[in-house]
Amino acid sequence: AVVSTQSTGKSAGALVCTVVTTMRKVLTVVLSFIFFTKPFTEHYVWSGSLVLLGIGITIYTRNKGAIRAVFAGALAGTMRSVQKFAMAHQTPISRQEKTVLQV
């Protein structure tokens, strides 16, 4: 397994090597549930959720600027849509709401 991992790392790169290693681990866990009957408890769900949360936090921290730009663009588009809707339906808007919509 060590030689296989090292050769994959040298030929395909670190990212591919990490993905392959992780997929092997996931496959091992799934196959252990299939071949060795054991109860699937809520502890496995919580553990899996924590792993996914950790992956999500890692992705967010590495791509924070891009993610914020996407949400800022979506928020600006939503605010413009609300403003157009209010104007189309002639809904009275207070001064405070106007300043929020202009942001």
Side-chain angles (χ1 to χ4, degrees):
V2 173
V3 174
S4 167
T5 304
Q6 287 178 345
S7 63
T8 303
K10 287 180 183 177
S11 63
L15 177 64
V16 173
C17 184
T18 303
V19 169
V20 168
T21 304
T22 303
M23 287 293 116
R24 286 177 47 203
K25 291 176 184 178
V26 168
L27 184 64
T28 301
V29 171
V30 169
L31 288 176
S32 75
F33 276 102
I34 292 172
F35 289 118
F36 307 108
T37 55
K38 53 184 172 183
F40 189 79
T41 64
E42 64 185 32
H43 298 290
Y44 293 112
V45 175
W46 283 109
S47 302
S49 299
L50 287 175
V51 169
L52 292 176
L53 179 66
I55 292 170
I57 290 171
T58 302
I59 290 171
Y60 175 74
T61 55
R62 290 184 181 175
N63 302 299
K64 200 180 303 185
I67 292 171
R68 285 184 179 172
V70 167
F71 282 116
L75 182 61
T78 302
M79 290 303 204
R80 282 191 297 274
S81 298
V82 168
Q83 199 171 24
K84 287 179 184 177
F85 177 81
M87 294 177 96
H89 294 285
Q90 297 178 1
T91 305
I93 300 175
S94 69
R95 183 179 296 177
Q96 186 179 19
E97 289 172 332
K98 283 182 184 178
T99 58
V100 170
L101 290 175
Q102 289 175 353
V103 172

